[in-house]
Amino acid sequence: QTKIWNVDSVVGNSQDYPQLTEAAEFLRKGEVVAFPTETVYGLGANALSSEAVQKIFAAKGRPSDNPLIVHIADIAQLEALVAEIPEIAKKLMDAFWPGPLTMIFPKKEGIAPEVTAGLDSVGIRMPSHPVALSLIRQAGLPIAAPSANRSGRPSPTTAAHVEEDLLGKIAGIVDGGPTGVGVESTVLDVTVNPPMILRPGGLTKEQLESVIGQVAVDPGLLEEKERPKAPGMKYQHYAPKGEMWMVVAPTVDKQVEAIGSLLAEAKSAGKKVGILATEESSTKYPQADLVVPCGSRADLPSVAHHLYDALRTFDQERMDYILSESFPSDGVGMAIMNRLMKACGHRIVGSDPSRNLSN
Ligand code: TXA
Ligand code: MG
């Protein structure tokens, strides 16, 4: 039996929500509870309890070598969790917390070993969603929380997505409406110099660099041959059940044209074809069985916001072949392209995506 609590929140509100009293109690008793953050829904448990954290891995079907992010509501909680706070991290906290930035610190004893999957570092973030902050505050605990999806599925951006994957498997779900950013937090290792992005996310490389100067990107994210440094980045992820291909071309028009001819081919082979398009191009594929407009090309954050719901739609509508447009990889486009590459299992048509259109 999964309990559901509805909370209407107001962005920027720092009050505590009385509707969260019971969810906070569940967390203190060692149960797992899903809750909204500004990025995606998280599946939370007491980060100091092995027993509680093990329930997260069980509910998700998550490999035990993949560490979890610890969520805090207050800078004061940080000192009990980390052995050292690098100067550069302090600058980033001032600039971007609360917000979609996870930093990797050397860990202190006390965190359940399952949280860090045996590593001597720990990822920590302070989410900006008022419901997440209120829940953590009321629980009075650091909360370990991965995205609240079954392992391998797209991360949930609505409570309905969480229900699809985890209803009956977890103690409760806090429904705070759709999340804002739509892709996960940016994971940044601040123990190395220059700091290195291990997972591109809602906070862009450009934003980080505006505060601390040069930032590196894990080569494992760009080169298929290299092993990514964040354990979670090596897994197949976000993939719809149908065979998905990403189409890369030097201009938007050529991209639409290339998708059009692959679409015609697939249709004559009798396939049920879905297209991940944009508002600008969604009328250009009349032969497709399903066209999912995923935000506007002129507004990449809107693409991020709709991305995971779009990927889930292809499964709901049982598409067996999916063609996706591609995007410039600056700004939040870096996270969008990273997730699309994983969703299509690196099946790419066209030129090298690192030389993709920069319209
Ligand atoms: O936006 C988000 O970050 C969401 C919300 C719920 O906060 N959480 C999330 O967690 O995306 P999860 O578990 O789905 O992804 C965490 C990623 C994984 O790729 C994991 O391998 C990496 O962060 N990670 C966690 N701790 C790490 C560590 N100590 N060193 C390297 N990578 C780490
Ligand atoms: Mg995840």
Side-chain angles (χ1 to χ4, degrees):
Q1 212 66 344
T2 302
K3 188 133 195 182
I4 310 222
W5 303 274
N6 288 290
V7 188
D8 282 326
S9 62
V10 181
V11 176
N13 190 346
S14 59
Q15 73 178 46
D16 271 331
Y17 294 90
Q19 305 93 308
L20 295 173
T21 310
E22 192 181 24
E25 252 164 49
F26 274 38
L27 288 170
R28 277 198 303 276
K29 280 191 310 194
E31 295 300 335
V32 298
V33 170
F35 61 96
T37 80
E38 76 281 21
T39 56
V40 299
Y41 272 73
L43 184 59
N46 178 0
L48 308 177
S49 159
S50 287
E51 211 186 318
V53 170
Q54 280 164 11
K55 292 182 189 169
I56 294 179
F57 284 87
K60 283 189 57 109
R62 182 175 176 110
S64 59
D65 72 341
N66 192 3
L68 309 179
I69 294 169
V70 179
H71 295 64
I72 59 175
D74 203 300
I75 300 276
Q77 286 180 290
L78 188 62
E79 264 146 50
L81 302 170
V82 307
E84 191 205 323
I85 306 175
E87 277 310 311
I88 216 155
K90 290 181 188 156
K91 278 192 194 164
L92 291 170
M93 278 182 243
D94 278 346
F96 300 119
W97 275 7
L101 172 66
T102 296
M103 287 188 273
I104 305 294
F105 295 93
K107 76 160 188 192
K108 216 180 220 176
E109 295 311 306
I111 306 170
E114 290 82 358
V115 169
T116 57
L119 300 177
D120 48 22
S121 63
V122 59
I124 301 191
R125 91 174 187 100
M126 187 189 294
S128 67
H129 197 296
V131 170
L133 288 171
S134 174
L135 181 65
I136 299 164
R137 251 188 330 254
Q138 292 192 52
L141 292 166
I143 300 297
S147 49
N149 50 284
R150 287 280 298 172
S151 220
R153 296 265 290 155
S155 298
T157 53
T158 64
H161 293 162
V162 180
E163 289 178 27
E164 228 171 76
D165 283 16
L166 297 173
L167 202 65
K169 295 192 171 73
I170 59 176
I173 301 173
V174 177
D175 182 348
T179 62
V181 178
V183 293
E184 299 88 337
S185 64
T186 301
V187 177
L188 185 73
D189 186 350
V190 289
T191 68
V192 294
N193 190 10
M196 183 182 279
I197 293 176
L198 305 187
R199 176 179 71 179
L203 191 77
T204 67
K205 179 167 184 276
E206 294 84 345
Q207 285 174 296
L208 290 167
E209 286 180 332
S210 72
V211 173
I212 56 168
Q214 199 203 345
V215 168
V217 178
D218 178 3
L221 299 178
L222 310 169
E223 289 284 326
E224 231 190 307
K225 304 183 288 292
E226 292 243 9
R227 195 180 176 81
K229 297 192 195 316
M233 297 303 282
K234 68 177 180 287
Y235 295 108
Q236 165 92 14
H237 210 172
Y238 312 110
K241 296 190 183 86
E243 181 181 318
M244 179 164 165
W245 287 84
M246 181 159 71
V247 178
V248 174
T251 67
V252 178
D253 286 345
K254 291 211 166 104
Q255 187 169 286
V256 170
E257 203 181 293
I259 291 177
S261 58
L262 289 165
L263 169 59
E265 219 173 277
K267 284 312 297 173
S268 59
K271 289 180 180 150
K272 214 172 159 190
V273 187
I275 310 277
L276 191 144
T278 49
E279 282 161 20
E280 290 86 347
S281 60
S282 60
T283 59
K284 296 187 176 160
Y285 311 106
Q287 260 194 299
D289 296 279
L290 175 72
V291 178
V292 182
C294 183
S296 161
R297 180 168 287 285
D299 176 17
L300 288 183
S302 75
V303 176
H305 177 78
H306 289 101
L307 184 63
Y308 293 150
D309 185 66
L311 290 173
R312 281 175 181 257
T313 307
F314 294 116
D315 281 352
Q316 279 151 11
E317 305 295 326
R318 300 176 188 285
M319 293 298 120
D320 41 49
Y321 193 74
I322 298 141
L323 295 164
S324 174
E325 294 188 4
S326 53
F327 299 90
S329 45
D330 51 331
V332 76
M334 192 196 265
I336 295 169
M337 285 295 277
N338 170 264
R339 304 310 190 272
L340 278 175
M341 298 265 237
K342 285 165 82 70
C344 66
H346 293 269
R347 282 186 289 256
I348 295 160
V349 187
S351 46
D352 175 358
S354 63
R355 289 185 289 114
N356 193 28
L357 46 114
S358 47
N359 58 317

Short mmCIF file of all heavy atoms in Angstrom, two decimals, residues 231-285:
data_model
loop_
_atom_site.label_atom_id
_atom_site.label_comp_id
_atom_site.label_asym_id
_atom_site.label_seq_id
_atom_site.Cartn_x
_atom_site.Cartn_y
_atom_site.Cartn_z
N PRO A 231 29.69 6.18 -11.24
CA PRO A 231 29.28 4.80 -11.51
C PRO A 231 27.95 4.72 -12.28
O PRO A 231 27.79 3.86 -13.15
CB PRO A 231 29.14 4.20 -10.11
CG PRO A 231 30.08 5.00 -9.27
CD PRO A 231 30.05 6.39 -9.82
N GLY A 232 27.02 5.62 -11.98
CA GLY A 232 25.70 5.56 -12.61
C GLY A 232 25.71 5.86 -14.10
O GLY A 232 24.78 5.51 -14.82
N MET A 233 26.76 6.54 -14.59
CA MET A 233 26.76 6.97 -15.98
C MET A 233 27.12 5.86 -16.95
O MET A 233 27.03 6.03 -18.15
CB MET A 233 27.70 8.17 -16.18
CG MET A 233 27.29 9.41 -15.40
SD MET A 233 25.62 9.98 -15.78
CE MET A 233 25.88 10.79 -17.35
N LYS A 234 27.56 4.69 -16.41
CA LYS A 234 27.94 3.62 -17.34
C LYS A 234 26.74 2.76 -17.75
O LYS A 234 26.81 1.99 -18.68
CB LYS A 234 29.05 2.76 -16.74
CG LYS A 234 28.63 1.93 -15.55
CD LYS A 234 29.79 1.05 -15.08
CE LYS A 234 29.43 0.18 -13.89
NZ LYS A 234 29.29 0.92 -12.64
N TYR A 235 25.63 2.91 -17.03
CA TYR A 235 24.48 2.05 -17.31
C TYR A 235 23.66 2.55 -18.49
O TYR A 235 23.51 3.74 -18.69
CB TYR A 235 23.58 1.93 -16.09
CG TYR A 235 24.25 1.23 -14.94
CD1 TYR A 235 24.65 1.94 -13.82
CD2 TYR A 235 24.51 -0.13 -15.00
CE1 TYR A 235 25.29 1.29 -12.77
CE2 TYR A 235 25.15 -0.78 -13.97
CZ TYR A 235 25.53 -0.05 -12.84
OH TYR A 235 26.17 -0.69 -11.83
N GLN A 236 23.09 1.59 -19.22
CA GLN A 236 22.04 1.87 -20.19
C GLN A 236 20.90 2.50 -19.40
O GLN A 236 20.57 2.09 -18.31
CB GLN A 236 21.59 0.55 -20.83
CG GLN A 236 20.29 0.59 -21.59
CD GLN A 236 20.54 0.89 -23.06
OE1 GLN A 236 21.67 0.80 -23.52
NE2 GLN A 236 19.50 1.26 -23.77
N HIS A 237 20.28 3.53 -19.91
CA HIS A 237 19.36 4.29 -19.09
C HIS A 237 18.37 5.00 -20.00
O HIS A 237 18.70 5.30 -21.14
CB HIS A 237 20.17 5.33 -18.33
CG HIS A 237 19.59 5.71 -17.00
ND1 HIS A 237 20.27 6.50 -16.12
CD2 HIS A 237 18.43 5.43 -16.40
CE1 HIS A 237 19.54 6.68 -15.03
NE2 HIS A 237 18.41 6.05 -15.18
N TYR A 238 17.19 5.29 -19.50
CA TYR A 238 16.21 6.14 -20.17
C TYR A 238 15.65 5.52 -21.45
O TYR A 238 14.85 6.15 -22.14
CB TYR A 238 16.80 7.52 -20.54
CG TYR A 238 17.55 8.20 -19.44
CD1 TYR A 238 18.93 8.36 -19.49
CD2 TYR A 238 16.85 8.70 -18.35
CE1 TYR A 238 19.62 9.00 -18.46
CE2 TYR A 238 17.54 9.34 -17.33
CZ TYR A 238 18.91 9.49 -17.40
OH TYR A 238 19.59 10.12 -16.40
N ALA A 239 16.10 4.33 -21.81
CA ALA A 239 15.77 3.80 -23.12
C ALA A 239 14.32 3.36 -23.21
O ALA A 239 13.85 2.58 -22.39
CB ALA A 239 16.68 2.63 -23.46
N PRO A 240 13.59 3.83 -24.23
CA PRO A 240 12.26 3.28 -24.49
C PRO A 240 12.40 1.82 -24.94
O PRO A 240 13.49 1.39 -25.31
CB PRO A 240 11.73 4.13 -25.65
CG PRO A 240 12.65 5.30 -25.78
CD PRO A 240 13.96 4.86 -25.20
N LYS A 241 11.30 1.06 -24.90
CA LYS A 241 11.36 -0.35 -25.29
C LYS A 241 11.60 -0.49 -26.79
O LYS A 241 12.25 -1.42 -27.23
CB LYS A 241 10.07 -1.07 -24.88
CG LYS A 241 9.89 -1.10 -23.37
CD LYS A 241 8.75 -2.02 -22.93
CE LYS A 241 8.56 -1.96 -21.41
NZ LYS A 241 7.69 -0.84 -21.00
N GLY A 242 11.08 0.45 -27.58
CA GLY A 242 11.32 0.42 -29.02
C GLY A 242 12.77 0.76 -29.36
O GLY A 242 13.49 1.28 -28.52
N GLU A 243 13.17 0.45 -30.60
CA GLU A 243 14.54 0.76 -31.02
C GLU A 243 14.63 2.25 -31.37
O GLU A 243 13.92 2.74 -32.23
CB GLU A 243 14.86 -0.09 -32.25
CG GLU A 243 16.26 0.12 -32.78
CD GLU A 243 16.50 -0.74 -34.03
OE1 GLU A 243 16.08 -1.93 -34.04
OE2 GLU A 243 17.10 -0.22 -34.98
N MET A 244 15.50 2.96 -30.65
CA MET A 244 15.55 4.41 -30.84
C MET A 244 16.85 4.85 -31.51
O MET A 244 17.92 4.35 -31.19
CB MET A 244 15.43 5.10 -29.47
CG MET A 244 15.48 6.60 -29.54
SD MET A 244 14.87 7.31 -27.98
CE MET A 244 15.48 8.98 -28.17
N TRP A 245 16.71 5.75 -32.47
CA TRP A 245 17.87 6.31 -33.18
C TRP A 245 17.86 7.82 -33.07
O TRP A 245 16.80 8.45 -33.17
CB TRP A 245 17.81 5.94 -34.66
CG TRP A 245 18.12 4.49 -34.93
CD1 TRP A 245 17.23 3.45 -34.85
CD2 TRP A 245 19.38 3.94 -35.32
NE1 TRP A 245 17.87 2.27 -35.16
CE2 TRP A 245 19.19 2.54 -35.46
CE3 TRP A 245 20.65 4.48 -35.56
CZ2 TRP A 245 20.22 1.68 -35.82
CZ3 TRP A 245 21.68 3.62 -35.93
CH2 TRP A 245 21.46 2.23 -36.05
N MET A 246 19.03 8.41 -32.87
CA MET A 246 19.13 9.86 -32.89
C MET A 246 19.71 10.29 -34.23
O MET A 246 20.67 9.71 -34.73
CB MET A 246 20.03 10.35 -31.77
CG MET A 246 20.12 11.86 -31.75
SD MET A 246 20.65 12.50 -30.18
CE MET A 246 22.33 12.00 -30.20
N VAL A 247 19.09 11.31 -34.81
CA VAL A 247 19.51 11.77 -36.13
C VAL A 247 20.26 13.10 -36.01
O VAL A 247 19.74 14.07 -35.45
CB VAL A 247 18.30 11.91 -37.07
CG1 VAL A 247 18.73 12.44 -38.43
CG2 VAL A 247 17.59 10.56 -37.22
N VAL A 248 21.48 13.09 -36.51
CA VAL A 248 22.35 14.26 -36.42
C VAL A 248 22.62 14.80 -37.81
O VAL A 248 22.86 14.02 -38.74
CB VAL A 248 23.67 13.87 -35.73
CG1 VAL A 248 24.66 15.00 -35.74
CG2 VAL A 248 23.41 13.41 -34.30
N ALA A 249 22.51 16.11 -37.99
CA ALA A 249 22.79 16.71 -39.29
C ALA A 249 23.27 18.13 -39.09
O ALA A 249 23.05 18.72 -38.03
CB ALA A 249 21.53 16.69 -40.15
N PRO A 250 23.95 18.69 -40.10
CA PRO A 250 24.55 20.02 -39.92
C PRO A 250 23.52 21.15 -39.82
O PRO A 250 23.84 22.20 -39.29
CB PRO A 250 25.45 20.20 -41.14
CG PRO A 250 25.12 19.10 -42.08
CD PRO A 250 24.37 18.04 -41.35
N THR A 251 22.30 20.97 -40.33
CA THR A 251 21.29 22.02 -40.17
C THR A 251 19.97 21.38 -39.76
O THR A 251 19.76 20.18 -39.95
CB THR A 251 21.03 22.79 -41.50
OG1 THR A 251 20.41 21.89 -42.42
CG2 THR A 251 22.30 23.36 -42.09
N VAL A 252 19.07 22.19 -39.23
CA VAL A 252 17.77 21.69 -38.80
C VAL A 252 16.98 21.13 -39.99
O VAL A 252 16.36 20.08 -39.91
CB VAL A 252 16.95 22.79 -38.09
CG1 VAL A 252 15.58 22.27 -37.70
CG2 VAL A 252 17.69 23.28 -36.86
N ASP A 253 17.04 21.84 -41.12
CA ASP A 253 16.31 21.37 -42.31
C ASP A 253 16.80 20.00 -42.77
O ASP A 253 16.01 19.12 -43.11
CB ASP A 253 16.47 22.37 -43.46
CG ASP A 253 15.64 23.63 -43.23
OD1 ASP A 253 14.75 23.57 -42.35
OD2 ASP A 253 15.89 24.66 -43.90
N LYS A 254 18.12 19.82 -42.76
CA LYS A 254 18.68 18.52 -43.19
C LYS A 254 18.29 17.42 -42.21
O LYS A 254 18.10 16.27 -42.59
CB LYS A 254 20.21 18.63 -43.30
CG LYS A 254 20.65 19.50 -44.46
CD LYS A 254 21.99 19.02 -45.03
CE LYS A 254 22.24 19.66 -46.39
NZ LYS A 254 23.24 20.75 -46.32
N GLN A 255 18.19 17.79 -40.95
CA GLN A 255 17.79 16.83 -39.93
C GLN A 255 16.36 16.35 -40.20
O GLN A 255 16.08 15.15 -40.20
CB GLN A 255 17.88 17.55 -38.57
CG GLN A 255 17.67 16.68 -37.37
CD GLN A 255 18.05 17.42 -36.09
OE1 GLN A 255 19.20 17.63 -35.77
NE2 GLN A 255 17.05 17.83 -35.34
N VAL A 256 15.47 17.29 -40.44
CA VAL A 256 14.07 16.95 -40.73
C VAL A 256 13.98 16.08 -41.97
O VAL A 256 13.23 15.09 -42.02
CB VAL A 256 13.24 18.25 -40.89
CG1 VAL A 256 11.84 17.93 -41.43
CG2 VAL A 256 13.14 19.00 -39.57
N GLU A 257 14.78 16.43 -42.97
CA GLU A 257 14.80 15.68 -44.22
C GLU A 257 15.29 14.24 -43.99
O GLU A 257 14.68 13.28 -44.48
CB GLU A 257 15.78 16.40 -45.16
CG GLU A 257 15.60 16.19 -46.63
CD GLU A 257 16.69 16.98 -47.37
OE1 GLU A 257 16.64 18.23 -47.32
OE2 GLU A 257 17.60 16.33 -47.95
N ALA A 258 16.37 14.10 -43.21
CA ALA A 258 16.93 12.76 -42.93
C ALA A 258 15.93 11.92 -42.15
O ALA A 258 15.74 10.72 -42.44
CB ALA A 258 18.24 12.89 -42.16
N ILE A 259 15.26 12.53 -41.19
CA ILE A 259 14.26 11.79 -40.42
C ILE A 259 13.13 11.37 -41.34
O ILE A 259 12.66 10.22 -41.29
CB ILE A 259 13.74 12.63 -39.22
CG1 ILE A 259 14.85 12.80 -38.19
CG2 ILE A 259 12.52 11.97 -38.60
CD1 ILE A 259 14.50 13.66 -37.00
N GLY A 260 12.73 12.27 -42.23
CA GLY A 260 11.66 11.96 -43.18
C GLY A 260 11.96 10.72 -44.00
O GLY A 260 11.09 9.85 -44.18
N SER A 261 13.19 10.58 -44.49
CA SER A 261 13.45 9.42 -45.34
C SER A 261 13.61 8.14 -44.52
O SER A 261 13.18 7.07 -44.96
CB SER A 261 14.64 9.67 -46.28
OG SER A 261 15.78 9.97 -45.56
N LEU A 262 14.16 8.23 -43.30
CA LEU A 262 14.22 7.04 -42.44
C LEU A 262 12.81 6.60 -42.04
O LEU A 262 12.51 5.40 -41.94
CB LEU A 262 15.03 7.34 -41.17
CG LEU A 262 16.53 7.50 -41.39
CD1 LEU A 262 17.18 8.15 -40.17
CD2 LEU A 262 17.18 6.13 -41.66
N LEU A 263 11.95 7.60 -41.83
CA LEU A 263 10.56 7.33 -41.48
C LEU A 263 9.85 6.57 -42.60
O LEU A 263 9.19 5.55 -42.36
CB LEU A 263 9.85 8.67 -41.19
CG LEU A 263 8.33 8.68 -41.03
CD1 LEU A 263 7.89 7.78 -39.89
CD2 LEU A 263 7.84 10.12 -40.77
N ALA A 264 10.04 7.05 -43.83
CA ALA A 264 9.40 6.40 -44.98
C ALA A 264 9.86 4.95 -45.10
O ALA A 264 9.05 4.03 -45.33
CB ALA A 264 9.73 7.18 -46.26
N GLU A 265 11.16 4.75 -44.90
CA GLU A 265 11.74 3.40 -44.96
C GLU A 265 11.12 2.49 -43.91
O GLU A 265 10.71 1.36 -44.20
CB GLU A 265 13.24 3.54 -44.65
CG GLU A 265 14.19 2.69 -45.44
CD GLU A 265 15.61 3.11 -45.09
OE1 GLU A 265 16.13 4.11 -45.68
OE2 GLU A 265 16.19 2.49 -44.18
N ALA A 266 11.06 3.00 -42.66
CA ALA A 266 10.53 2.19 -41.56
C ALA A 266 9.05 1.89 -41.76
O ALA A 266 8.59 0.79 -41.44
CB ALA A 266 10.75 2.91 -40.22
N LYS A 267 8.30 2.85 -42.30
CA LYS A 267 6.88 2.62 -42.53
C LYS A 267 6.67 1.54 -43.59
O LYS A 267 5.80 0.69 -43.45
CB LYS A 267 6.16 3.91 -42.96
CG LYS A 267 5.87 4.90 -41.85
CD LYS A 267 5.25 4.29 -40.59
CE LYS A 267 3.88 3.68 -40.82
NZ LYS A 267 3.41 2.96 -39.60
N SER A 268 7.51 1.57 -44.63
CA SER A 268 7.30 0.55 -45.66
C SER A 268 7.75 -0.82 -45.15
O SER A 268 7.34 -1.85 -45.70
CB SER A 268 7.99 0.94 -46.97
OG SER A 268 9.36 1.11 -46.76
N ALA A 269 8.55 -0.85 -44.09
CA ALA A 269 8.89 -2.13 -43.46
C ALA A 269 7.84 -2.55 -42.44
O ALA A 269 8.01 -3.53 -41.71
CB ALA A 269 10.28 -2.04 -42.81
N GLY A 270 6.76 -1.76 -42.33
CA GLY A 270 5.65 -2.14 -41.46
C GLY A 270 5.82 -1.79 -39.99
O GLY A 270 5.11 -2.30 -39.12
N LYS A 271 6.77 -0.89 -39.68
CA LYS A 271 7.00 -0.57 -38.26
C LYS A 271 6.06 0.50 -37.75
O LYS A 271 5.54 1.32 -38.51
CB LYS A 271 8.45 -0.09 -38.08
CG LYS A 271 9.45 -1.22 -38.24
CD LYS A 271 10.87 -0.73 -38.06
CE LYS A 271 11.84 -1.89 -38.23
NZ LYS A 271 13.12 -1.45 -38.76
N LYS A 272 5.84 0.48 -36.43
CA LYS A 272 5.07 1.52 -35.76
C LYS A 272 6.08 2.57 -35.30
O LYS A 272 6.89 2.32 -34.41
CB LYS A 272 4.34 0.91 -34.57
CG LYS A 272 3.00 1.54 -34.31
CD LYS A 272 2.22 0.80 -33.26
CE LYS A 272 1.17 1.76 -32.70
NZ LYS A 272 0.50 1.24 -31.52
N VAL A 273 6.04 3.75 -35.94
CA VAL A 273 7.15 4.70 -35.76
C VAL A 273 6.74 5.94 -34.98
O VAL A 273 5.75 6.60 -35.29
CB VAL A 273 7.70 5.16 -37.14
CG1 VAL A 273 8.96 6.01 -36.95
CG2 VAL A 273 8.01 3.96 -38.03
N GLY A 274 7.52 6.26 -33.95
CA GLY A 274 7.34 7.48 -33.17
C GLY A 274 8.47 8.45 -33.44
O GLY A 274 9.60 8.04 -33.70
N ILE A 275 8.15 9.74 -33.39
CA ILE A 275 9.18 10.77 -33.62
C ILE A 275 9.28 11.68 -32.42
O ILE A 275 8.25 12.20 -31.95
CB ILE A 275 8.85 11.65 -34.85
CG1 ILE A 275 8.50 10.81 -36.07
CG2 ILE A 275 9.99 12.64 -35.13
CD1 ILE A 275 9.65 10.30 -36.87
N LEU A 276 10.48 11.90 -31.91
CA LEU A 276 10.69 12.93 -30.90
C LEU A 276 11.06 14.20 -31.65
O LEU A 276 12.15 14.32 -32.22
CB LEU A 276 11.77 12.52 -29.91
CG LEU A 276 11.88 13.40 -28.67
CD1 LEU A 276 12.22 12.58 -27.44
CD2 LEU A 276 12.89 14.51 -28.84
N ALA A 277 10.11 15.14 -31.69
CA ALA A 277 10.27 16.35 -32.49
C ALA A 277 10.28 17.57 -31.58
O ALA A 277 10.43 17.45 -30.36
CB ALA A 277 9.12 16.44 -33.49
N THR A 278 10.14 18.73 -32.18
CA THR A 278 10.02 19.97 -31.40
C THR A 278 8.76 20.68 -31.89
O THR A 278 8.18 20.30 -32.91
CB THR A 278 11.24 20.87 -31.64
OG1 THR A 278 11.46 20.97 -33.04
CG2 THR A 278 12.48 20.32 -30.97
N GLU A 279 8.35 21.72 -31.17
CA GLU A 279 7.17 22.46 -31.60
C GLU A 279 7.33 22.96 -33.03
O GLU A 279 6.38 22.97 -33.80
CB GLU A 279 6.93 23.66 -30.68
CG GLU A 279 6.30 23.26 -29.36
CD GLU A 279 6.47 24.32 -28.28
OE1 GLU A 279 6.74 25.50 -28.62
OE2 GLU A 279 6.36 23.94 -27.10
N GLU A 280 8.55 23.34 -33.37
CA GLU A 280 8.82 23.90 -34.69
C GLU A 280 8.62 22.89 -35.81
O GLU A 280 8.31 23.26 -36.95
CB GLU A 280 10.25 24.45 -34.77
CG GLU A 280 10.51 25.71 -33.94
CD GLU A 280 10.86 25.43 -32.49
OE1 GLU A 280 10.69 24.28 -32.02
OE2 GLU A 280 11.32 26.36 -31.79
N SER A 281 8.85 21.60 -35.51
CA SER A 281 8.88 20.61 -36.60
C SER A 281 7.79 19.55 -36.49
O SER A 281 7.73 18.64 -37.32
CB SER A 281 10.24 19.91 -36.60
OG SER A 281 10.42 19.26 -35.36
N SER A 282 6.92 19.67 -35.50
CA SER A 282 6.02 18.54 -35.22
C SER A 282 5.03 18.26 -36.34
O SER A 282 4.49 17.16 -36.42
CB SER A 282 5.29 18.75 -33.90
OG SER A 282 4.52 19.92 -33.98
N THR A 283 4.81 19.20 -37.25
CA THR A 283 3.86 18.94 -38.35
C THR A 283 4.56 18.37 -39.58
O THR A 283 3.92 18.11 -40.60
CB THR A 283 3.16 20.24 -38.78
OG1 THR A 283 4.16 21.17 -39.19
CG2 THR A 283 2.35 20.83 -37.63
N LYS A 284 5.88 18.17 -39.48
CA LYS A 284 6.63 17.79 -40.68
C LYS A 284 6.77 16.29 -40.92
O LYS A 284 7.47 15.87 -41.83
CB LYS A 284 8.01 18.45 -40.65
CG LYS A 284 7.89 19.96 -40.70
CD LYS A 284 9.20 20.67 -40.84
CE LYS A 284 8.93 22.17 -40.99
NZ LYS A 284 10.10 22.98 -40.66
N TYR A 285 6.11 15.48 -40.04
CA TYR A 285 6.25 14.04 -40.19
C TYR A 285 4.88 13.37 -40.28
O TYR A 285 4.49 12.59 -39.40
CB TYR A 285 7.03 13.47 -39.00
CG TYR A 285 8.31 14.21 -38.68
CD1 TYR A 285 8.40 15.06 -37.57
CD2 TYR A 285 9.45 14.08 -39.49
CE1 TYR A 285 9.57 15.74 -37.27
CE2 TYR A 285 10.63 14.76 -39.19
CZ TYR A 285 10.68 15.59 -38.08
OH TYR A 285 11.83 16.25 -37.78
#
